[in-house]
Amino acid sequence: GYYLADSGGKDSRCIRKLADLAGVKYQAFYSCTTIDPPEVPKFLKEHFPNTIWHYPEKSFYQYIRDWFPPSRTRRWCWTYLKEIPSLGTGKCYRITGVRAEESPGRRRFPQIDWVPKINSFAFKVIYYWTEWHVWDFHEKYNLPYLPLYNEGWSRVGCMMCPLSSYENRMRDKERWPGPFKAFEHAVTIWWNTLR
């Protein structure tokens, strides 16, 4: 069967429903990055308890202390928090909710893609969907979704993501101050080890 990558977001709801409608065999997996908004794991536990969780070898904060904070040009977080923990499932066909509309970086790769780092084919089944298509599909099938979308979040990803806008990071910081304090603490420790 397929490995279905479930981030907890609105696009994941669509690919899960499409897999159900298609009748394909799959197992849903969630990579617990340790820096997702707390509403995400809560939502998955409540609505999709059969999802298998992957955990990174170390927390985001420990990786910062050991290496360096991720930036727009030097990011290790996706690989070590999402990809590496997902290895070893024995599934080489992955269904993902990646959409071309989301970013120029995501448009660079084809809809069906071989990803050598994870030794898998990625099938981006809603690749050409717009956000309007996603919400229309949600409405048609009455799919559950994170309450954060009703509070103004259009995308839900890792807090403190260097690819997120400054405004979005500040909004996240106001909403979830604890993880940001832990981030600042980890960066301080990293910085002090450079001296």
Side-chain angles (χ1 to χ4, degrees), residues 51-138:
T51 299
I52 295 174
W53 289 34
H54 296 301
Y55 296 93
E57 186 179 312
K58 304 175 190 177
S59 75
F60 173 70
Y61 311 105
Q62 185 61 50
Y63 279 121
I64 289 174
R65 292 192 290 268
D66 293 348
W67 295 340
F68 55 88
S71 69
R72 284 184 179 271
T73 56
R74 293 182 66 201
R75 283 187 309 139
W76 47 260
C77 40
W78 183 266
T79 299
Y80 284 88
L81 300 179
K82 288 227 179 230
E83 290 179 333
I84 289 176
S86 75
L87 297 175
T89 63
K91 298 183 184 298
C92 67
Y93 299 107
R94 294 181 181 226
I95 299 171
T96 74
V98 170
R99 292 186 298 113
E101 179 189 57
E102 293 177 298
S103 72
R106 293 191 171 194
R107 282 192 290 275
R108 285 188 318 205
F109 299 100
Q111 184 177 15
I112 299 173
D113 195 13
W114 171 252
V115 186
K117 278 196 290 187
I118 56 173
N119 199 32
S120 296
F121 282 99
F123 297 94
K124 304 162 194 167
V125 294
I126 60 171
Y127 188 70
Y128 294 107
W129 287 24
T130 65
E131 189 166 352
W132 179 86
H133 290 111
V134 169
W135 287 117
D136 191 52
F137 193 77
H138 271 261

Side-chain angles (χ1 to χ4, degrees), residues 4-20 26 28-31 40 43-44 48 51 82 95-99 102 106 125-126 129 134-135 137-138 143-146 149 156:
L4 190 140
D6 191 338
S7 70
K10 64 186 185 302
D11 298 332
S12 293
R13 303 288 56 78
C14 294
I15 63 170
R16 198 163 186 150
K17 182 63 177 177
L18 285 168
D20 290 339
Y26 71 89
F29 294 88
Y30 166 62
S31 288
V40 173
F43 173 81
L44 285 171
F48 302 97
T51 299
K82 288 227 179 230
I95 299 171
T96 74
V98 170
R99 292 186 298 113
E102 293 177 298
R106 293 191 171 194
V125 294
I126 60 171
W129 287 24
V134 169
W135 287 117
F137 193 77
H138 271 261
L143 302 179
Y145 59 87
L146 283 164
Y149 293 116
V156 178

